[in-house]
Amino acid sequence: MTAPNPHDPPRTVVVTVGMGRWPFDRLLRAVGALGDDYDLFVQRGTSDVPLACPAPRFVSPSELRDRMQAADVVVTHAGNTVRLVQRLGKVPICVAREQRRGEMANDHQVQFLRHEQRSGLAVGLWGELDDLAAAIAGHPAVEAALLATRPKPPEIDLDRAWRLLLHELHVEASSR
Amino acid sequence: MTTGSAQLGDLLVVSSAGGVLLDALALGRSYPGSCSFVAVDAVDTREELAAEHVEFRREPSLRRPLGLLAESVVAWRSMRRRRPGLVLSAGTALAVPWFVAAAVLRVPRVWVETFNIIDRQGLAARVCARIATLVAVQHPARLGVHLRSVLVGELM
């Protein structure tokens, strides 16, 4: 697959809000206001905000990965999907669910997105999301600039993770 | 590692749907021993666990103590039958009754902090981390937040 030209306007946009029980109406209202400028696909979760594009409540993980891989821009809530998108070699546009808006039971997505934004690993949008359309339109150039400078995600070593866990569990059991 | 696995026995992974499933799957599939799952019935758990030994459950609400108690009894009975050597979860609510049952049965429990936990966790995570034998963290800054934690690096 050839890398998209950062000077070309994006065409395909995938939006995902996760599997949780909290609706994310704020993001979906902003997506609904994008009009028909893009080929949109939205995984909308429990929200009932009307959308004119394909918008299933939930999507299988394999389909979602395929759609995110093929998309010019991925817009996501600040869940674990953020890392999935980053490991696909992309920079996601992220919106954190906020407790005070009834979008989640706590603000861990707010803290996480601030962290990722500071690191240049994600583009964060806040407030009423009036800037979503502009962020999507300019994302290819922003993404190209961030990808050129940001640190790459570290290698995953699950065997090492288990060696550490089993060692610590053994130490814990021995101390009792 | 083989020695540790033989000592610890079979792994039981308890998982809700969504991002927590990804961390739980990563560790479950790489466990150097036998592994089975208890998972919330959802589109992603159905697909990802299609080839696994899995028992599907409904997500309990932390606001309904009777539901949690009932699920704890189910978990206690299931674990008495399965006799796992280790229980692991990254969340969320379903993990609480299963961790409680595991604690009662003195089965070691590993709580996995998901990658997007930077500071304050949710209620289920706080409860499970508190009663876990060990907490696996993915960020160096999270070491020391818990009584017993180990830095395992990124899992997904």
Side-chain angles (χ1 to χ4, degrees):
Chain A
M1 184 181 296
T2 56
N5 187 329
H7 303 295
D8 289 344
R11 290 181 294 108
T12 55
V13 179
V14 167
V15 181
T16 178
V17 301
M19 301 291 294
R21 64 183 172 86
W22 294 275
F24 203 179
D25 292 354
R26 178 168 55 110
L27 175 54
L28 296 193
R29 279 195 298 269
V31 169
L34 291 173
D36 53 6
D37 290 347
Y38 303 104
D39 178 7
L40 270 168
F41 179 88
V42 181
Q43 180 265 309
R44 67 186 167 98
T46 56
S47 179
D48 288 321
V49 170
L51 293 166
C53 62
R57 289 199 183 280
F58 301 108
V59 180
S60 72
S62 55
E63 181 185 349
L64 185 60
R65 273 191 207 105
D66 289 347
R67 287 185 178 278
M68 292 193 303
Q69 177 73 75
D72 293 327
V73 179
V74 178
V75 181
T76 177
H77 76 146
N80 267 357
T81 321
V82 171
R83 204 52 161 170
L84 282 184
V85 178
Q86 291 164 344
R87 287 198 179 273
L88 291 173
K90 297 171 183 285
V91 176
I93 293 177
C94 303
V95 182
R97 293 171 175 271
E98 297 179 19
Q99 182 183 25
R100 69 187 176 92
R101 296 178 191 264
E103 295 165 347
M104 199 154 212
N106 57 65
D107 273 337
H108 81 264
Q109 287 202 358
V110 173
Q111 297 151 1
F112 175 61
L113 181 51
R114 285 185 182 135
H115 175 271
E116 293 299 284
Q117 202 171 6
R118 275 197 303 271
S119 307
L121 297 165
V123 173
L125 299 183
W126 305 90
E128 298 308 315
L129 309 179
D130 300 329
D131 49 354
L132 178 61
I136 290 173
H139 194 64
V142 171
E143 180 177 60
L146 289 172
L147 288 175
T149 57
R150 73 172 191 185
K152 289 182 180 171
E155 295 292 318
I156 296 170
D157 189 343
L158 296 171
D159 288 338
R160 177 179 173 275
W162 270 117
R163 279 197 301 274
L164 292 167
L165 286 170
L166 293 177
H167 173 74
E168 289 298 323
L169 286 167
H170 179 71
V171 170
E172 178 68 22
S174 302
S175 67
R176 291 189 172 179
Chain B
M1 191 155 55
T2 305
T3 304
S5 144
Q7 289 169 344
L8 289 163
D10 295 349
L11 172 67
L12 177 63
V13 176
V14 182
S15 185
S16 298
V20 297
L21 175 66
L22 303 176
D23 286 319
L25 264 180
L27 283 172
R29 286 177 174 159
S30 60
Y31 182 64
S34 177
C35 173
S36 60
F37 292 81
V38 173
V40 169
D41 197 351
V43 173
D44 60 343
T45 53
R46 282 275 172 188
E47 180 182 282
E48 295 283 18
L49 301 175
E52 310 288 348
H53 180 216
V54 56
E55 176 182 344
F56 286 108
R57 304 293 307 165
R58 294 181 68 176
E59 185 88 276
S61 168
L62 295 181
R63 294 177 181 175
R64 293 185 183 143
L66 285 179
L68 287 173
L69 183 62
E71 186 65 25
S72 296
V73 172
V74 170
W76 182 80
R77 286 177 177 159
S78 177
M79 273 193 273
R80 290 260 294 175
R81 189 178 67 250
R82 295 165 179 261
R83 298 196 173 276
L86 179 63
V87 175
L88 177 145
S89 182
T92 47
L94 181 65
V96 174
W98 286 77
F99 263 46
V100 169
V104 171
L105 292 169
R106 295 181 175 274
V107 177
R109 304 154 305 280
V110 173
W111 178 253
V112 182
E113 267 199 359
T114 54
F115 180 74
N116 66 347
I117 295 299
I118 298 297
D119 192 354
R120 191 169 170 76
Q121 311 167 91
L123 178 59
R126 293 200 300 276
V127 171
C128 289
R130 181 70 63 89
I131 63 174
T133 312
L134 193 60
V135 178
V137 301
Q138 302 188 50
H139 300 281
R142 297 297 294 168
L143 279 173
V145 172
H146 307 283
L147 194 59
R148 298 168 296 273
S149 61
V150 59
L151 178 64
V152 294
E154 294 191 18
L155 301 174
M156 52 159 275

